[in-house]
Amino acid sequence: MSLIAEPWQRAEVAGTKKALIINKPEIVAAMIKRAKRPILVVGHQVVETELSEGEKAIDRIIELAKTAEIPVVATAHIIKEFLNRGFNPSSHMSIMEIGSRLQAPDWTGLDGMGAYDLAIFVGIPYYMEWVILTGLKNFAQNLKTVSLDRFYQPHANWSFPNLPLQKWDEQLKLITNLLKEREEGTA
Amino acid sequence: MSFKNVRVKIDELKTRAALIKNLQLSIGNVMEETWEEHVGPTPFPSVTSLREWDMKLLKRYKPYYLPFCELCCLCTFGKCDLSEGKRGACGIDMAAQQSRIVLLACCIGAATHIAHARHLVEHLIEKFGRSHPIDVGGVHVKLEAPITRLVCGVRPKTLGDLEGILDYLETQVTHLLSATHTGQEGNNLDFESKVFHAGMIDHVGLEIADIAQVAAYGFPKADPEAPLVDLGFGAIDINKPVIMCVGHNVVPTVGIVDYIKSNGLDGQVEVCGLCCTAHDTTRYYPKAKIVGPISWQIRFIRSGVPDVVILDEQCIRTDALNEAQRIKAPVIVTSDKNCMGLPNRTGDPPDTIVDDLITGKVPGVLILDPELVGEVAVRTAVKVAPLRKKFKTLPETSDVISGAKLCRKCNNCKRVCPQDLDIPEAMETAANGDLSLLADLYEFCIGCTRCEHVCPVELPIHSFIVKAGEKQLKAEIFKIRSGRGAIQDTEIRNVGSPIVLGEIPGILAAVGCANYAKGGREVAEICMEFANRRYIVVTSGCAAMSAAMYKNGEGKTPYEMFTGNFEAGCIVNVGSCVTNSHIAGAAIKIASIFAKRNLRANYEEIADYILNRVGAVGLAWGAMSQKAASIASGFWRLGIPVIVGPHGAKYRRMLMGRKDREEDWYVYDARTGERVYVGPTPEHLFYAAETKEEAMVMIAKLCMRPNDTTKGRAIKLTHYIDLHKRMYGKIPDDIHMFVRTKADIPITMKDEILKILEERGWKETRIPDPTLLPRLIRRRKEE
Ligand code: SF4
Ligand code: SF4
Ligand code: SF4
C-alpha cells in the first residue's frame, strides 16, 4: 500500500496538524465500534466511482453502513440512488447543511438524542470535503472525523492515504468484514 | 448640483442626532429640492448605519466557517496558527479571521467595480460632457438608478452627477479595507456586517458603471428585443483579421469599433471578445462576436485565430502576453490596472507603434488612450494577419499521439487539476491513437493550464485536450441576446403582483464566472428547466454565455427558444457583470413601482420587503472571483439568497439558516404586531451546492417567501415537490414547514401531503403581513 500522506490536491496544503493515517482497517472498525454516536455522511461521488467488479462505491458503502448500523446522511441528490438500491438512509441533506449542523453546538442530531462523537465522510468532492473537515476540526472540537475517501484529507482526524482504487475497495471490504466478525463475536 | 457637498452636510447632521425631526427636511433641501419623495433614514450610509439590519440577517443566517487556510500571514507577527481555538499574535480568532478574509475579498471586488466605474465616468465625461443625460430606457425607465436612489438617496440626472456618488463609494471602500488591518475589527459578526456593506457599495458601483455606459454609448436601453448576436469559437470568421478583446472595460474596444466604422472597414475586420468586454462590445456593435467565457482565453489564443490581442481589465489571464507571443500576435494593454510590464506608448505617433508591433520589435505596448488603441489595433491587425497566417500553437493529432507516448503516468497533472480530470488515463489511450478520452475532458477543462506546469515531460496538456475536442470547439456556434440592460418600469408593473403574491414561482438569476465543476452546460440546463416552469430567468456575465451554449433539436439556442421580455418563462440576458445591478434593481423596483414603497435612502425597509416578498434567487454556478463575492454580498444584504457551485465552498463562509430551530423563523405581522411563524422562507442566504440536481431543488425551495398567497405557495410547492421527486426520488420531508394553511397544498398532491402533515404534527398558522422591522408595525387601532 502506498502511504503517501500528502493532500491529493497538491496545493491544498494543511495547517500545522495533519490527519493520522489509516494504515489498517482495524482502526476504522474500532473507532466505529467505540463511538457512542457515529454518523456517516455520503456524497454523490460514490455513485460516480466504479469499482473493479462493475459495482459502484455506493454498494460498498451500503454494506458497510448496514453492518455498522450507523445512521447515514446522503448529500446532494444521491438519496435516490440509495432508495433505488433498497437502502433507506436516516436522512438526506446538502453537505453544507450537515456540515454546519455538526458544527452547531446546539444541534442534537437527526434523532434529537444528542451530539455525535464520530463523523465519517465519503464521496464528497475533494475540495468540498477538505473545507468541511477544516471547519469541523476548528469549530467542533469534540467531534472526531474520519475520511473514508481514497485521497488523503489532512484535516480529518483520521484519513486513508492516497490509495489506488483497488486497494481502497479492499480496505472498505475489510472494514465491513471486521465489523461483521465483531458482531458475530459479540452475538 | 454637486453631491459632494451634500454628503458632508448629511454626515454633520447625522452625528448630531440620528433622527431629529427636521433632519428629513434639511437633507431634502440640500439634496434636491425638486424631488418630492422624502428622504429615508439612511442617505449615504456609513459603515455602521445598517448594522442592525445586518445583525437581524446574521442571527437567522448564521455564518458557517470553512477555513480554506488555518494560518494567517498578513503581518510580521505571523505566520500564526489559528487552528483549534488558538488566537493569532494580534489576538484574532479563527471565526474573525475567516470573515476578515471574506471582507478582504469583497473589498477587492467592490474596489474593482468602483474603479471601473470611475474610469468609465471620467472618460465619458471627457467625451460627452458632464451634462450628458442619464437615459437608460427612455419613457420605459423612469427609475433610472434604483440602487443609487435606495442607498444614497439621490437620483443622478447627468454623467456629472455620478462623480459625487463615486466619491462616496471610494470613501466607503477605504473605510472597509482599513478594518482588515492587524488589530482593527475583532468580531466576526461585525466583519460580516462590513462584508454586507461592501456588497451594497459594490452594487452602487455596478449601477453607476452600467448606466453611464448605456447612456453614453447608446447600448440597448432596457430593450427586450436586443439583437441576437453570435457566440462561440466556430462563429469567428478566420478569413478576416481578428482582434481579440479580453476583460471587462469596453472603452478601448469602443475605440476599435469606432475606428473600423469611420475608416470604411466595417465587415472587413473581425472584432471578438471574451468575458464581459465581449458582452459590452456586442451591446455597442452587434456585429462583434463573443468567443466565450474566461476559460476560452488560452484555447482561443493557442488556436492562432487572433491577430491582435487587446487586454483591458479584470479576469484576464496574466500569462496572456506570453501565450500571444507564442502565436506571434501583438498585444495591446489598455488599462492602468494591468500594464504587463510593457512600455507606455500613449504619446507616440500611431505609425511608429504599428511598425514596432508588426516587425515584432516589441511584443506589445501599453496605450492608455482608447482612440489610439483603436487605430493601432486595427491597423496592426490588418497588416499582421497576412504575415502570421493564423500561426497556432495547438498541436496536430500526430503530435498528441506521439506526445502521449511520453507520458509517465506520474499523476502530477491530475493532482493539480482543479477538476481532478483523469488525464493520465486519457494519455494512455491517446498513445494508442484513440483521442476520445482526451476529447471527453474538453467539456470539463476550465483552461487553467495548471497541469502543464507540473508535467515532467512538459506536455502541453491543455492543448492536447483542446485538439482532441476540436470538433466540439469548432461546432460552437450559438446565438445570445445581447445584454439588454435595465428592466422596464412597465415590465415590473406587469410582473410585480404575480411575483409578490407568488403566482410567478420565482426569479432565477444565473450570474457570475465560469469555474464550473462539471462544465457550463449545466447552466443552460438549469435555466431552461426554470424557464419551462415559467420562472423569470435572468442571466449575466460568463453564466449568460454558458446559458447560450446549447442547441435543441431544431438547432435553436435558449435565447431563441425563450422570450427576452422580463416575464414568466423568459431567459433574459441583462449583459456584463456590471449589469447585475439591474437584477438587484428589478427587485428594488418591485418594492417601489408595484408596492409603492418609498425608495429614497430607505434601504432597510426595502431589503425587508424583498426578503419577505420577492422570491428571487441568485445562482453563481461557477463563481470564482472576488467580484463575484462582493456581488453576492450585495444580494445578501438585500435579502436575496445566492447559491454557488461546488468550488464556491472555497469562499470559506456560508450563511445558513436552521429550519430545525423554530424560533428563528418568526416575523412580525405588520398589521397587528403579533409574531407569526412563517417557516424557513428563505432557508439560506448563501450556500454551495454539490450537484446540479441539488441546486435545482434548492432554487425552487429558496423562492418561497412568507408573503406568498395560498395560490402562490401552492404553485411554488408544486415545483419544489416535483423537482424533489425527480431528483431525489422522494417527496421532501420538510413540506410541513412550508404549508401554512390547507389552502397552500397543491390540489393534485392533496392526499399525499395531508398524510405527511398529520405524521409531522403540523399545525395551521396564518399568513401575516411579514416584516422583521418593529417600526413597520401599524397597530390595528391606527388603521
Ligand atoms: S494579522 Fe494577526 S493573525 Fe495574522 S499574522 Fe499578524 S498577528 Fe498573526
Ligand atoms: S487546464 Fe484543464 S486539464 Fe489542465 S489542470 Fe486546468 S482544468 Fe485541469
Ligand atoms: S503530468 Fe505529464 S507525465 Fe505525468 S501523468 Fe500527467 S501527462 Fe503524464
Side-chain angles (χ1 to χ4, degrees):
Chain A
M1 182 192 305
S2 74
L3 281 180
I4 315 163
E6 47 180 57
W8 174 249
Q9 281 271 297
R10 278 262 156 81
E12 299 198 5
V13 289
T16 52
K17 196 169 115 191
K18 295 201 284 182
L20 298 169
I21 295 171
I22 304 168
N23 52 14
K24 46 182 190 196
E26 285 80 1
I27 295 174
V28 180
M31 285 183 82
I32 293 177
K33 279 277 161 189
R34 215 178 303 136
K36 290 197 183 70
R37 299 266 299 154
I39 186 168
L40 174 60
V41 181
V42 187
H44 84 282
Q45 289 188 339
V46 293
V47 184
E48 293 175 350
T49 315
E50 299 262 355
L51 297 175
S52 45
E53 310 122 27
E55 281 175 303
K56 288 184 169 178
I58 188 171
D59 302 312
R60 200 65 74 242
I61 295 302
I62 291 175
E63 287 162 18
L64 193 150
K66 277 185 182 162
T67 315
E69 293 175 25
I70 184 170
V72 170
V73 174
T75 73
H77 59 287
I78 60 147
I79 176 87
K80 189 176 181 178
E81 300 286 339
F82 278 112
L83 295 174
N84 286 345
R85 287 167 170 78
F87 180 85
N88 197 0
S90 310
S91 181
H92 63 92
M93 276 190 201
S94 83
I95 182 61
M96 289 298 150
E97 285 168 344
I98 182 63
S100 58
R101 294 281 205 285
L102 287 169
Q103 211 159 292
D106 67 331
W107 192 53
T108 51
L110 300 167
D111 52 7
M113 303 291 281
Y116 294 100
D117 58 355
L118 175 70
I120 304 171
F121 293 86
V122 65
I124 318 288
Y126 186 79
Y127 47 88
M128 282 187 117
E129 191 171 320
W130 202 97
V131 291
I132 293 281
L133 288 167
T134 319
L136 294 173
K137 176 184 174 191
N138 285 285
F139 295 98
Q141 287 173 41
N142 295 327
L143 180 74
K144 289 265 170 289
T145 57
V146 172
S147 165
L148 280 192
D149 274 311
R150 67 185 188 94
F151 302 115
Y152 184 59
Q153 280 288 0
H155 285 166
N157 290 106
W158 291 88
S159 167
F160 281 128
N162 298 322
L163 291 177
L165 193 65
Q166 246 180 329
K167 267 266 174 317
W168 179 59
D169 188 18
E170 269 170 40
Q171 292 289 307
L172 293 179
K173 278 190 205 152
L174 286 171
I175 293 170
T176 307
N177 287 342
L178 282 165
L179 289 166
K180 259 188 207 147
E181 277 168 26
R182 296 210 184 176
E183 217 131 82
E184 282 154 13
T186 51
Chain B
M1 64 177 270
S2 156
F3 292 132
K4 267 189 193 175
N5 304 332
V6 172
R7 205 187 63 254
V8 176
K9 284 184 187 159
I10 294 163
D11 279 350
E12 282 166 6
L13 283 167
K14 274 200 301 195
T15 49
R16 264 191 276 137
L19 281 169
I20 50 168
K21 236 186 180 173
N22 292 334
L23 179 71
Q24 288 183 344
L25 232 179
S26 318
I27 295 175
N29 283 338
V30 284
M31 288 177 83
E32 193 188 334
E33 283 164 17
T34 53
W35 191 7
E36 277 167 16
E37 190 170 327
H38 78 267
V39 185
T42 52
F44 293 101
S46 71
V47 171
T48 50
S49 302
L50 292 160
R51 187 168 174 253
E52 266 177 60
W53 170 248
D54 297 340
M55 294 303 169
K56 280 195 173 70
L57 289 176
L58 292 164
K59 195 168 161 228
R60 190 195 268 181
Y61 304 104
K62 297 222 165 39
Y64 164 40
Y65 295 110
L66 303 148
F68 199 26
C69 176
E70 297 185 296
L71 308 178
C72 176
C73 54
L74 276 178
C75 83
T76 72
F77 277 143
K79 294 187 175 180
C80 295
D81 175 7
L82 304 177
S83 65
E84 298 179 290
K86 295 188 277 296
R87 285 177 186 265
C90 62
I92 202 163
D93 66 12
M94 185 64 99
Q97 172 69 2
Q98 294 311 305
S99 47
R100 178 186 183 205
I101 301 293
V102 176
L103 176 57
L104 206 47
C106 290
C107 284
I108 295 172
T112 304
H113 287 135
I114 293 163
H116 174 188
R118 172 66 82 179
H119 174 261
L120 270 171
V121 168
E122 271 176 4
H123 172 75
L124 295 174
I125 285 178
E126 201 183 302
K127 267 202 92 156
F128 297 88
R130 206 161 247 113
S131 54
H132 187 88
I134 301 288
D135 171 7
V136 296
V139 291
H140 300 297
V141 182
K142 290 245 160 52
L143 232 165
E144 72 304 294
I147 305 176
T148 305
R149 287 183 180 207
L150 176 68
V151 174
C152 304
V154 296
R155 50 175 181 180
K157 295 216 172 75
T158 64
L159 285 178
D161 288 347
L162 302 177
E163 287 184 299
I165 301 165
L166 285 167
D167 289 348
Y168 159 72
L169 301 179
E170 286 158 353
T171 313
Q172 295 308 302
V173 172
T174 309
H175 286 304
L176 289 168
L177 186 57
S178 79
T180 64
H181 192 274
T182 301
Q184 291 266 54
E185 187 57 76
N187 180 275
N188 68 307
L189 292 181
D190 268 311
F191 268 124
E192 299 295 353
S193 162
K194 291 175 172 67
V195 166
F196 287 0
H197 194 64
M200 183 192 72
I201 293 303
D202 178 78
H203 278 210
V204 182
L206 300 174
E207 184 171 87
I208 302 288
D210 203 55
I211 62 177
Q213 61 181 3
V214 168
Y217 285 146
F219 288 176
K221 295 190 166 163
D223 182 2
E225 311 261 319
L228 283 165
V229 297
D230 291 322
L231 181 148
F233 184 93
I236 313 299
D237 185 349
I238 56 169
N239 298 311
K240 293 177 188 168
V242 173
I243 302 178
M244 164 191 183
C245 306
V246 192
H248 287 71
N249 189 327
V250 77
V251 171
T253 311
V254 166
I256 291 168
V257 172
D258 287 349
Y259 185 86
I260 287 175
K261 283 184 179 166
S262 56
N263 286 276
L265 294 167
D266 205 7
Q268 294 175 42
V269 178
E270 190 84 329
V271 180
C272 61
L274 292 99
C275 282
C276 287
T277 287
H279 271 303
D280 286 341
T281 307
T282 68
R283 294 167 88 194
Y284 187 66
Y285 180 57
K287 283 185 195 159
K289 289 168 185 173
I290 300 174
V291 178
I294 179 170
S295 358
W296 269 253
Q297 284 184 39
I298 296 290
R299 68 189 71 156
F300 190 53
I301 295 178
R302 290 186 182 177
S303 75
V305 170
D307 292 301
V308 172
V309 177
I310 312 294
L311 307 176
D312 56 82
E313 57 169 304
Q314 305 162 41
C315 304
I316 291 161
R317 296 261 339 172
T318 51
D319 55 358
L321 177 62
N322 311 2
E323 292 281 342
Q325 258 177 290
R326 288 168 52 200
I327 61 154
K328 305 189 173 129
V331 172
I332 305 175
V333 292
T334 61
S335 164
D336 54 5
K337 309 293 180 303
N338 169 30
C339 304
M340 293 248 171
L342 295 169
N344 187 351
R345 302 289 295 270
T346 312
D348 288 2
D351 291 352
T352 50
I353 311 176
V354 172
D355 272 350
D356 288 353
L357 287 173
I358 292 167
T359 56
K361 200 169 157 200
V362 286
V365 291
L366 167 66
I367 304 178
L368 295 168
D369 169 358
E371 271 138 44
L372 186 59
V373 171
E375 178 175 353
V376 173
V378 177
R379 286 177 54 195
T380 306
V382 170
K383 287 201 177 150
V384 93
L387 301 173
R388 8 180 337 273
K389 301 195 182 76
K390 304 289 176 200
F391 183 79
K392 63 179 165 64
T393 51
L394 283 186
E396 298 301 329
T397 303
S398 56
D399 301 330
V400 178
I401 295 168
S402 56
K405 291 195 163 93
L406 303 174
C407 169
R408 295 183 195 164
K409 316 266 168 328
C410 67
N411 262 338
N412 280 359
C413 48
K414 185 164 159 57
R415 291 185 56 187
V416 298
C417 174
Q419 311 291 62
D420 202 16
L421 296 181
D422 206 338
I423 302 160
E425 190 193 16
M427 288 291 179
E428 194 170 343
T429 50
N432 296 321
D434 173 8
L435 301 197
S436 63
L437 287 189
L438 267 178
D440 288 347
L441 305 182
Y442 174 81
E443 196 186 339
F444 308 110
C445 170
I446 55 160
C448 70
T449 72
R450 251 158 52 173
C451 49
E452 298 184 355
H453 297 289
V454 295
C455 178
V457 289
E458 295 179 13
L459 296 178
I461 299 167
H462 176 55
S463 291
F464 280 17
I465 293 172
V466 174
K467 178 67 195 175
E470 196 174 30
K471 219 172 120 203
Q472 213 174 321
L473 178 70
K474 290 194 171 153
E476 287 167 4
I477 306 173
F478 305 99
K479 290 279 181 198
I480 180 171
R481 203 172 286 286
S482 184
R484 61 169 277 173
I487 307 304
Q488 298 178 1
D489 299 357
T490 36
E491 289 173 300
I492 297 288
R493 223 162 267 134
N494 293 337
V495 298
S497 163
I499 288 175
V500 170
L501 303 178
E503 288 152 15
I504 288 179
I507 304 174
L508 168 64
V511 304
C513 335
N515 191 14
Y516 308 120
K518 287 188 178 154
R521 171 179 284 252
E522 292 190 337
V523 175
E525 289 165 353
I526 295 172
C527 287
M528 289 187 294
E529 174 74 39
F530 283 91
N532 276 324
R533 289 174 180 275
R534 310 220 25 95
Y535 285 66
I536 292 175
V537 179
V538 286
T539 63
S540 70
C542 282
M545 300 179 192
S546 302
M549 297 175 90
Y550 172 91
K551 277 183 191 162
N552 69 3
E554 293 159 32
K556 287 213 161 41
T557 58
Y559 292 100
E560 297 166 288
M561 293 156 62
F562 298 93
T563 173
N565 293 313
F566 188 81
E567 63 189 28
C570 66
I571 297 186
V572 168
N573 172 23
V574 283
S576 52
C577 285
V578 291
T579 65
N580 280 313
S581 54
H582 303 308
I583 300 174
I588 295 167
K589 290 211 291 193
I590 290 170
S592 160
I593 295 172
F594 163 69
K596 307 238 166 9
R597 297 281 179 122
N598 188 14
L599 205 60
R600 192 177 186 187
N602 195 21
Y603 192 92
E604 196 180 49
E605 182 179 334
I606 298 297
D608 179 67
Y609 183 93
I610 293 172
L611 174 71
N612 284 302
R613 291 160 209 267
V614 180
V617 178
L619 175 76
W621 197 232
M624 165 280 294
S625 68
Q626 298 89 5
K627 291 185 295 165
S630 59
I631 294 171
S633 54
F635 282 111
W636 304 330
R637 199 181 225 183
L638 266 183
I640 298 176
V642 177
I643 301 171
V644 284
H647 285 295
K650 297 175 218 168
Y651 279 123
R652 74 197 71 193
R653 191 273 278 113
M654 305 285 127
L655 296 166
M656 313 278 299
R658 285 274 301 274
K659 66 180 174 191
D660 59 318
R661 283 168 51 102
E662 193 195 299
E663 64 271 31
D664 287 356
W665 306 102
Y666 280 81
V667 300
Y668 294 106
D669 186 343
R671 285 182 291 257
T672 61
E674 230 180 301
R675 294 182 75 236
V676 181
Y677 175 73
V678 288
T681 49
E683 187 177 352
H684 306 302
L685 212 45
F686 183 51
Y687 110 106
E690 190 182 329
T691 60
K692 175 191 80 175
E693 291 82 357
E694 177 190 329
M696 285 162 86
V697 174
M698 193 56 95
I699 289 165
K701 183 159 146 174
L702 292 182
C703 282
M704 286 188 259
R705 289 296 181 280
N707 190 64
D708 298 338
T709 57
T710 53
K711 187 174 161 206
R713 180 58 63 89
I715 292 171
K716 292 185 183 190
L717 273 173
T718 307
H719 291 292
Y720 171 49
I721 295 169
D722 185 57
L723 279 164
H724 199 285
K725 281 186 173 172
R726 204 172 95 205
M727 305 297 171
Y728 288 51
K730 68 190 278 277
I731 193 157
D733 53 17
D734 55 4
I735 298 177
H736 57 291
M737 297 179 178
F738 302 106
V739 176
R740 299 153 306 174
T741 73
K742 286 189 180 154
D744 284 348
I745 302 172
I747 299 170
T748 50
M749 308 178 187
K750 198 144 201 165
D751 297 340
E752 196 180 4
I753 292 176
L754 279 174
K755 206 173 128 236
I756 295 172
L757 295 185
E758 206 174 302
E759 281 164 20
R760 300 267 167 176
W762 171 80
K763 281 196 283 305
E764 184 166 88
T765 73
R766 59 191 184 78
I767 306 171
D769 178 1
T771 177
L772 296 183
L773 303 174
R775 70 181 165 86
L776 294 187
I777 297 166
R778 326 175 287 276
R779 301 275 171 210
R780 223 171 226 155
K781 52 185 190 293
E782 290 166 16
E783 277 178 359

